[in-house]
Amino acid sequence: MSASVWSEAAGDPTAPLVVVVHGSMDRSAGLLRLGRRLHDSYRVVRYDRRGYGRSGNVGPPWTVEANIDDLEALLCSDALEPAVLFGHSFGGNVALGLAARRPELARAVVVYETPLSWLDWWPVNSAGAAAMAMDDPGDAAEAFMRRLVGDAVWERLAPSKQAERRAEGAAMVGELADLRRTAPWDAARISAPVLALHGEHAGAHHRRAMTGLPDMIAGCRAVMVPEAGHAGPHTHADHVVAAVSPFLASLSGDSMASAG
């Protein structure tokens, strides 16, 4: 039985459901801007994954499978209907894993720069790999954050906030190490439509992963998000929604005209 993670729903409770899944060293708050742009047309559920934010007391194990357990439990609670799953970075593997395990729960999947780090071409000098090479999980978390947001942003954080983020290092190291061991989902079992997004300024490995995903998953297509980098769902939410809107509208005549 999965432990209970913190979650919050917003938007019209009668509207189609979208569940957003954040990446490593992030929280659901990182996808708040994206969620707000969907509220007019969708019911949006955000949650803090195990080991992060308000779910910091949940775990171990910090594995992909345990995260899929949590998402499955969330979708099965309160008789929620099948959802569109939006996964950013590591969260995309959680979304795809749930779609493979429980196809009836996944209406569609959108992934944004999801790492395929079990593949032999994945770089050994990525932010995650560099962090995992450190002995102390707290140091690993700090190094990961400094690489993603920059030294200046990190050093402006209050010491208490720095301590909170360092405490999430164990979850980050555990889940990223697990992701490197083996593929967390079977592409042949994914029947939902899949949209793979990458930013215009994506790293070469993230671009290769997302443009190559249609060769792995039937019914998947890849789209580039203008002006965005890896943090696109945070920094360019409008651009991401614009890229996702035609895909969502195509599912069953849904309209995103009022979103944003």
Side-chain angles (χ1 to χ4, degrees):
M1 184 69 176
S2 174
S4 179
V5 294
W6 177 91
S7 65
E8 181 177 74
D12 183 352
T14 67
L17 178 65
V18 175
V19 178
V20 295
V21 190
H22 67 80
S24 296
M25 290 306 300
D26 198 4
R27 283 100 175 264
S28 63
L31 296 176
L32 181 58
R33 187 177 300 172
L34 179 72
R36 284 174 174 164
R37 282 154 177 76
L38 297 172
H39 288 170
D40 287 345
S41 300
Y42 288 83
R43 181 186 183 194
V44 180
V45 172
R46 302 180 298 118
Y47 72 102
D48 287 344
R49 292 196 296 102
R50 60 172 54 213
Y52 294 102
R54 283 161 284 195
S55 300
N57 61 329
V58 181
W62 293 300
T63 61
V64 184
E65 183 175 8
N67 274 276
I68 297 170
D69 290 344
D70 294 336
L71 179 55
E72 181 180 13
L74 182 64
L75 284 167
C76 290
S77 67
D78 301 322
L80 291 178
E81 71 273 16
V84 174
L85 307 175
F86 181 102
H88 178 215
S89 195
F90 180 91
N93 280 308
V94 179
L96 290 169
L98 191 280
R101 181 195 291 183
R102 295 288 303 275
E104 75 279 10
L105 295 179
R107 187 175 175 209
V109 180
V110 181
V111 296
Y112 188 99
E113 296 197 11
T114 293
L116 309 181
S117 49
W118 63 92
L119 297 178
D120 57 9
W121 57 261
W122 194 259
V124 297
N125 62 345
S126 65
M132 286 190 297
M134 298 184 169
D135 293 330
D136 180 80
D139 291 343
E142 179 173 336
F144 190 91
M145 291 293 295
R146 284 179 178 273
R147 182 159 172 174
L148 290 186
V149 305
D151 290 337
V153 172
W154 173 261
E155 288 165 8
R156 283 200 299 269
L157 293 176
S160 61
K161 293 298 182 183
Q162 290 183 358
E164 286 179 12
R165 304 320 303 265
R166 285 178 58 89
E168 295 169 344
M172 180 200 73
V173 170
E175 66 190 25
L176 293 184
D178 186 55
L179 190 60
R180 284 187 171 264
R181 293 187 187 102
T182 186
W185 38 264
D186 179 354
R189 294 182 58 84
I190 298 175
S191 56
V194 177
L195 180 66
L197 302 177
H198 68 277
E200 180 179 4
H201 304 300
H205 56 303
H206 283 304
R207 182 184 299 270
R208 179 178 178 182
M210 295 298 92
T211 58
L213 207 61
D215 294 329
M216 301 172 64
I217 301 175
C220 175
R221 59 189 181 92
V223 171
M224 185 268 288
V225 178
E227 301 181 24
H230 186 64
H234 302 191
T235 60
H236 292 76
D238 288 331
H239 294 67
V240 172
V241 169
V244 172
S245 294
F247 174 73
L248 295 179
S250 72
L251 296 177
S252 61
D254 296 336
S255 173
M256 287 288 295
S258 60

